[in-house]
Each structure stands twice: as C-alpha cells, then as structure tokens.
Amino acid sequence: MENRRRRVPALAPEERRAALIAATIPLLHEHGLEVSTRQIAAAAGVAEGTIFGVFESKNSLVVCSVIQALDPQDTLGGLAAIDQSLPLRERMAEAAELIHARMAENAALMSAARKLILAGQNDPDTAKRMASSRERLKDALVEVIEPDAALLRQSPEAVASMLLLFCGANTYGPFGDPDNFIGADLVSLLLDGFLKRGAQ
C-alpha cells in the first residue's frame, strides 16, 4: 500500500495556528532559526501552503513559536510551590535551580529571540511580551525572598535581580558552567560573598 502522509482534520484558524506553533517549537530546539517551512509542515502533517494561510510568513510563525516556548508559566508555578516556611537559603537555592533549569533548557531559543528582535523580524508586541515574561519571573522570585526581607542589606527586588543575572551569566557567559550549576553555591555567593567570616 502506498505510504501517504496522514491527513489531519480541518481546524479553525486559531486551532491551526496553535497546532503549527506546537509543531515548530521542537524543531526550533533542534534546528534553530534555520528550520524550514517544509520541516514544519511535515511535523504538523499539513501541506506547506497551509502555514501561509494562518501566518503572514515563516518569520511570523517562528516568532510566535519562540514566544510561546519561552513562556515562564511552568517556572512560575514551581516558584509559587516553594515552601515559604523553609529557611531563606533553602528557598533561594530551590528557586535558583528552577530558574537555571529554565534558562539552560531554552538557551538556544533565547538567543534566537534576541536575533529576531535585533533583526526587526517581529511583530510590534514581541519585545513587550518578552519583557513581560522577564518581569513576571522576577516578581515570582521576589515573592520567594520577601518573607525574609529584614535579613537583607538590599531589597528583595535587588537580590532577585542579582540571582537572575548570575543564572543568566552562568548559562550564556563565556565563563559559565551550566552542567555543574549548584543553586546552593550561588545563594552562598549572594548572601555570604567570598570573604571568610571575620576577614577584613
């Protein structure tokens, strides 16, 4: 019997958009921005022309897919689930592990998002949506730290920003070591510094 592509049922435009985005995200992890519409169509089980029935261009689909993939909701849920009765160090260490895991998993997509925005290949809301995601992540981290604000020399917002900065540098920086990241070590650096107790 002839091996034919499995046909998928007709979908409403919004459902089709969602299905194409879902098919594109794994391909972006694998191929980056070089993914082709042919590969996307094959993964989605549709004709290549179907893509352009619901997206203006390949870039439009890619941008929507990158934004969807970088949505921080899963990480926000993890941060919200951290036991607030734990000591500050333990809460922050758990938070650091969650944030680092998110950044490491999506490193290629985050780089792709920057390239798209710098190239101007984005809809007017893309930069705003990415900024909103960053703010939501920071706000969730502030809530983890806030109960022990009185113990800190800086505000919970400043501490949260520094933790995010260090996680980002470890993931993207030339001296980072993502494979050997330990949240407790980062928290010790932020809360204690490198000087031994009593050192001048």
Side-chain angles (χ1 to χ4, degrees):
M1 181 179 291
E2 184 182 357
N3 183 21
R4 297 180 179 177
R5 183 181 48 176
R6 180 177 58 86
R7 296 183 64 83
V8 296
L11 299 174
E14 285 306 310
E15 292 175 322
R16 176 66 70 205
R17 285 174 61 88
L20 286 167
I21 288 170
T24 302
I25 290 172
L27 294 173
L28 286 170
H29 279 289
E30 183 177 355
H31 302 287
L33 297 180
E34 301 307 311
V35 63
S36 69
T37 52
R38 182 176 181 180
Q39 290 170 316
I40 295 169
V46 299
E48 197 169 353
T50 301
I51 293 172
F52 303 105
V54 287
F55 288 97
E56 293 181 1
S57 64
K58 171 196 164 184
N59 284 337
S60 177
L61 169 55
V62 167
V63 167
C64 289
S65 300
V66 168
I67 295 299
Q68 177 70 31
L70 295 181
D71 185 275
Q73 190 55 52
D74 287 346
T75 305
L76 297 181
L79 292 171
I82 292 175
D83 186 351
Q84 292 287 60
S85 70
L86 292 173
L88 175 63
R89 287 177 185 273
E90 293 183 30
R91 298 199 312 272
M92 287 183 62
E94 284 191 28
E97 294 283 355
L98 286 168
I99 291 168
H100 176 263
R102 176 180 185 271
M103 290 184 173
E105 179 183 0
N106 293 304
L109 289 181
M110 289 183 178
S111 296
R114 292 192 192 95
K115 289 179 182 178
L116 288 169
I117 290 173
L118 289 174
Q121 297 173 341
N122 57 286
D123 61 77
D125 293 330
T126 300
K128 183 186 298 184
R129 292 171 67 186
M130 291 189 66
S132 174
S133 292
R134 290 193 298 270
E135 285 303 310
R136 289 163 62 202
L137 193 61
K138 179 180 174 182
D139 290 345
L141 182 54
V142 168
E143 290 187 16
V144 172
I145 299 169
E146 189 82 55
D148 287 301
L151 301 178
L152 301 169
R153 290 189 293 116
Q154 298 289 333
S155 69
E157 290 79 10
V159 175
S161 294
M162 191 61 67
L163 189 149
L164 289 167
L165 177 64
F166 273 61
C167 285
N170 188 69
T171 304
Y172 308 111
F175 301 106
D177 188 7
D179 294 333
N180 294 304
F181 178 86
I182 299 174
D185 288 345
L186 172 55
V187 172
S188 177
L189 172 61
L190 290 177
L191 297 181
D192 304 320
F194 283 122
L195 280 178
K196 293 181 179 179
R197 292 182 182 275
Q200 296 295 320

